[in-house]
Amino acid sequence: MDNIFPTYAQFPMDLVSGHDWHIKDSNGKEYLDFTSGIGVCSFGYSNELIIKNVEEQVKKIWHTSNLYPSKLVDEVAGMLCPQGMLAFFCNSGTEANEAAFKLARKYTGKAKILAFNNGFHGRTFGSMSLTGNKSVQAGFSPLVPGVTFADFNDDKSLDKITDEYAAVILETIQGEGGVIIGDKSWIQKVAKTCHDKGVLLIVDEVQTGIGRTGTKFSFEHYDIHPDIITCAKALGNGLPVGAMLGKKSLASAFGPGTHGTTFGGNKLSMASAKGVLTQLTPDFLNKVTEKGKQVADIIDQTISPLPVVKKVSCMGLMIGITLEDELKVGDVIAKLQDEGLLTLSAGHNTLRLLPPLVMDINDLKAGLAKISEVLKNEVVTE
Ligand SMILES: Cc1ncc(COP(=O)(O)O)c(C=O)c1O
């Protein structure tokens, strides 16, 4: 690529078309997709309702700005928000977290935010400052002040949550950090401590939300009630949309002129999000849970026992297979690409699988068989 900043170490193929959960590159090679464009295209590449909604909208009007009320935007917000919450629409996960950071400060009048080591919240200054990964922050100092980090899944971190803080932000599953699942009892203790100390709880559902774990939002597995939720990725199935959802009681801090974005609530993105949310029914979510269980069983039997596999984490269709250090996840991804399977990495040495939620069980099994075959042929040298 001659005209693009090299911010991504890119794979060699140009993906030019897709159908259901299959993708073709510019040489005509076909791949089974276990990435969903990094957790985005959960309804695959040819979903009829989403295409219809966007096609109809593109013929009407694409963009009007937030200066005018929109029934469509309000309808999508109503479909997305848990009871008693309002939405602010933006264009990405990092922007959703920026909005959450600003709202927490403005509402509480406090500056400090507690975030977790190994977490990821985005690349803009606020979200990057909340990201507990030195390599993401390197070279960009000074960061936004007021952010403290604590260890994830560690009871000692609870002591750090004091009434000096505006908010605590966490992912229930640290996705980019290596698919590290939050312990239920620990996350509940964090939520209770926040509640007791008058600290807002922000749950970043950018990767885990919109059905990925078998529920609309992953925090539902934890029986907690966040004050603020951020989401993006799968919400537009590939059209850019992010959202910050917050309790109605916070609305006084986000009045006219406090925050904004030109493109947030863009009508094409909203038409796509409406298609996503219309299909995110309890029945659909149950199917994701069922497929997730079958996938976890297969991994348990065929992949976990392999000598190159250190640890496996699965919740719904969010899957991490952490490899022994001797085997580089990048090499495994390249071999799987040769075999016609697209996968992702995360954290230190984790193979991350985020297949489209609509993928049928036969193709999920076919992809897992390829992974098991490639990993079987790898030997860990002592
Ligand atoms: C948990 C989480 N938060 C925030 C982001 C940032 O989202 P975006 O890349 O849309 O800005 C990501 C992206 O991977 C993420 O996984």
Side-chain angles (χ1 to χ4, degrees), residues 8 38 91-97 119-124 127 131 171 173-176 204-208 230 232-233 241-242 318 352:
Y8 284 85
I38 325 188
N91 312 287
S92 63
T94 198
E95 283 177 63
N97 287 325
F120 184 82
H121 300 292
R123 301 280 188 169
T124 48
S127 305
T131 289
E171 300 156 88
I173 305 173
Q174 293 186 322
E176 298 299 313
D204 179 339
E205 294 271 6
V206 169
Q207 193 161 146
T208 50
T230 55
K233 286 191 182 282
V241 52
M318 182 160 182
R352 180 173 39 149

Side-chain angles (χ1 to χ4, degrees), residues 308-325:
V308 292
V309 174
K310 206 173 185 174
K311 195 184 110 194
V312 167
S313 311
C314 306
M315 198 187 270
L317 287 175
M318 182 160 182
I319 299 141
I321 301 171
T322 303
L323 305 173
E324 294 291 351
D325 285 351

